[in-house]
């Protein structure tokens, strides 16, 4: 039976690959997409989600727009990584959005409550929408199978010397999730920084020559270049796609069950995921933390997915 999935995201190049991977999987049914401000402002991430679905001819899927700001903080965006549009690097199809959408929080709640089966949540941006949904309708907890989120790290960081971007942008929201008692898998930088699509991988993908690969390759090249400039990475870390890959095939990651707390006050450490690797506090583990990735399995999933979209010859590609 297909896993029922909601993706809450802030596209974003790696969010785009995450959405594409989920929509292409025979093991997953995407119930809808919700967007949040993060990599770019709320209007841009919402628009980008529409562009991605148009590119893969999945405009049948509902997209609900969520919060433009974190719960208690000013928004921090990442134009230095994802560009001014949030998806710089290639011309994606133009979109005009007419209908006033249901708020993401209401959509998350109604989708979960009306689903016959339990729902998997895959948040790949700041956790504002998901935390707000839990606060507004705590009953959804009984109908959530698991939260597999991209965020945090045991050792690594990317927005400050101690924090990962998604958790840093809205640490209070992250704290609500990690204290919720829900089953959580934290797919953090310890593994996602290894999930690199190198420049050679991108050239190979470009050589497929299909309608989708021709658009995705320059987008990933842009994302790889910014990651090379800022982090000296020899490629594009497909952070968010790794969370989706894990839901499709759990053998792609190796996890450890640990206690994770979210730092919300630290002068230098706000947004840090404090992982009690040696159980020094004695506190109960509350999250599976991804520590190893089967890189060839993951890359294979991405290549296969792009090939499949090329074969479908999605009609809306420019
Ligand atoms: C996370 O931050 C964003 O820039 C990416 O889309 C990913 O979700 C990585 O830290
Ligand atoms: Ca993201």
């Amino acid at each position: 039976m297909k896993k029922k999935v909601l993706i809450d995201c802030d596209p974003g190049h790696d969010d785009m690959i995450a959405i594409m991977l989920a929509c292409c999987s025979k093991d997953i049914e995407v119930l809808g997409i919700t967007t949040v401000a993060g990599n770019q402002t709320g209007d841009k991430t919402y628009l980008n989600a529409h562009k991605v679905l148009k590119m893969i001819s999945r405009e049948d899927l509902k997209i609900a727009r969520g919060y433009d700001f974190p719960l208690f903080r000013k928004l921090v965006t990442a134009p230095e990584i994802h560009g001014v549009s949030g998806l710089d690097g290639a011309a994606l199809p133009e979109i005009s959005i007419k209908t006033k959408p249901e708020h993401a929080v209401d959509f998350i709640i109604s989708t979960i409550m009306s689903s016959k089966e339990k729902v998997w949540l895959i948040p790949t941006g700041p956790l504002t929408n998901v935390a707000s949904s839990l606060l507004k309708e705590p009953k959804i907890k009984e109908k959530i199978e698991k939260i597999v989120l991209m965020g945090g790290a045991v050792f690594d960081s990317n927005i400050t010397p101690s924090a990962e971007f998604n958790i840093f942008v809205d640490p209070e929201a992250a704290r609500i999730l990690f204290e919720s008692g829900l089953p959580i898998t934290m797919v953090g930088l310890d593994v996602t920084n290894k999930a690199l699509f190198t420049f050679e991988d991108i050239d190979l993908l470009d050589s497929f020559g299909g309608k989708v690969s021709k658009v995705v390759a320059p987008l990933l090249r842009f994302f790889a270049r910014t990651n090379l400039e800022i982090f000296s990475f020899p490629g594009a870390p497909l952070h968010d796609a790794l969370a989706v890959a894990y839901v499709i095939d759990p053998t792609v990651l190796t996890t450890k069950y640990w206690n994770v707390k979210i730092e919300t006050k630290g002068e230098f450490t706000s947004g840090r995921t404090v992982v009690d690797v040696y159980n020094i506090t004695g506190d109960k583990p509350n999250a599976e933390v991804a520590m190893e990735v089967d890189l060839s399995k993951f890359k294979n999933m991405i290549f296969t997915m792009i090939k499949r979209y090329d074969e479908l010859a999605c009609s809306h590609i420019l």
Side-chain angles (χ1 to χ4, degrees):
M1 196 193 299
K2 289 187 177 201
K3 291 170 180 160
K4 309 281 186 259
V5 157
L6 275 173
I7 301 175
D8 184 65
C9 57
D10 61 339
H13 297 77
D14 52 330
D15 302 80
M16 172 189 74
I17 301 292
I19 293 169
M20 292 174 76
L21 186 60
C23 288
C24 193
S25 169
K26 62 176 176 25
D27 301 314
I28 281 185
E29 181 186 342
V30 181
L31 301 177
I33 309 277
T34 51
T35 60
V36 66
N39 283 324
Q40 260 301 349
T41 54
D43 51 345
K44 290 182 183 178
T45 57
Y46 181 57
L47 190 67
N48 288 343
H50 281 84
K51 289 182 173 183
V52 172
L53 289 193
K54 185 163 184 179
M55 175 174 74
I56 59 171
S57 302
R58 285 302 309 269
E59 293 137 299
D60 57 300
L61 279 180
K62 175 147 182 173
I63 304 172
R65 178 173 172 172
Y67 282 106
D68 287 343
F69 298 98
L71 294 181
F72 300 111
R73 299 179 185 233
K74 285 192 178 149
L75 177 65
V76 176
T77 58
E80 68 285 3
I81 300 288
H82 297 275
V84 285
S85 72
L87 261 183
D88 277 14
L92 282 160
E94 282 310 316
I95 305 278
S96 64
I97 305 165
K98 294 176 202 93
T99 46
K100 194 176 183 307
E102 187 182 6
H103 193 279
V105 166
D106 296 320
F107 178 65
I108 289 171
I109 292 169
S110 62
T111 305
I112 293 175
M113 292 311 286
S114 63
S115 172
K116 282 197 192 110
E117 292 141 47
K118 285 192 173 184
V119 174
W120 295 67
L121 290 183
I122 312 181
T124 63
L127 294 160
T128 323
N129 290 338
V130 180
S132 302
S133 305
L134 288 170
L135 292 179
K136 188 167 182 183
E137 182 47 275
K139 280 193 200 138
I140 61 171
K141 282 168 100 176
E142 291 150 35
K143 298 201 66 185
I144 294 173
E145 181 70 35
K146 195 171 205 186
I147 300 177
V148 179
L149 64 91
M150 190 284 134
V154 181
F155 300 111
D156 225 331
S157 64
N158 62 3
I159 184 74
T160 69
S162 72
E164 179 280 330
F165 181 79
N166 289 340
I167 308 293
F168 176 80
V169 173
D170 199 342
E172 285 79 13
R175 187 167 174 176
I176 289 168
L177 260 72
F178 280 87
E179 292 182 356
S180 69
L182 283 164
I184 293 177
T185 300
M186 178 175 117
V187 183
L189 298 175
D190 308 289
V191 282
T192 68
N193 275 345
K194 294 178 200 152
L196 279 189
F197 231 61
T198 64
F199 287 97
E200 292 73 34
D201 293 328
I202 297 168
D203 288 346
L204 177 59
L205 193 144
D206 209 352
S207 75
F208 292 174
K211 284 186 171 179
V212 174
S213 48
K214 278 285 168 211
V215 176
V216 170
L219 286 167
L220 288 187
R221 213 169 272 127
F222 177 93
F223 187 47
R225 282 196 193 116
T226 58
N227 273 279
L228 178 65
E229 276 165 29
I230 295 175
F231 302 113
S232 306
F233 289 167
L238 301 183
H239 307 284
D240 298 336
L242 196 53
V244 171
Y246 177 72
V247 175
I248 295 169
D249 179 0
T251 66
V252 90
L253 293 175
T254 308
T255 61
K256 301 274 187 187
Y257 199 36
W258 283 326
N259 183 272
V260 181
K261 294 190 179 69
I262 308 297
E263 177 58 81
T264 56
K265 295 200 177 71
E267 186 182 356
F268 305 111
T269 55
S270 182
R272 174 103 202 137
T273 43
V274 179
V275 183
D276 194 354
V277 172
Y278 300 109
N279 196 223
I280 288 166
T281 60
D283 292 342
K284 270 192 3 205
N286 60 347
E288 281 182 334
V289 180
M291 293 308 288
E292 300 292 340
V293 53
D294 185 334
L295 192 53
S296 62
K297 199 178 268 184
F298 174 65
K299 279 193 187 180
N300 202 22
M301 288 169 89
I302 303 295
F303 281 125
T304 307
M305 173 267 286
I306 299 284
K307 271 189 189 144
R308 202 166 294 157
Y309 281 119
D310 275 349
E311 280 158 19
L312 291 171
C314 298
S315 53
H316 295 298
I317 299 288
L318 288 178

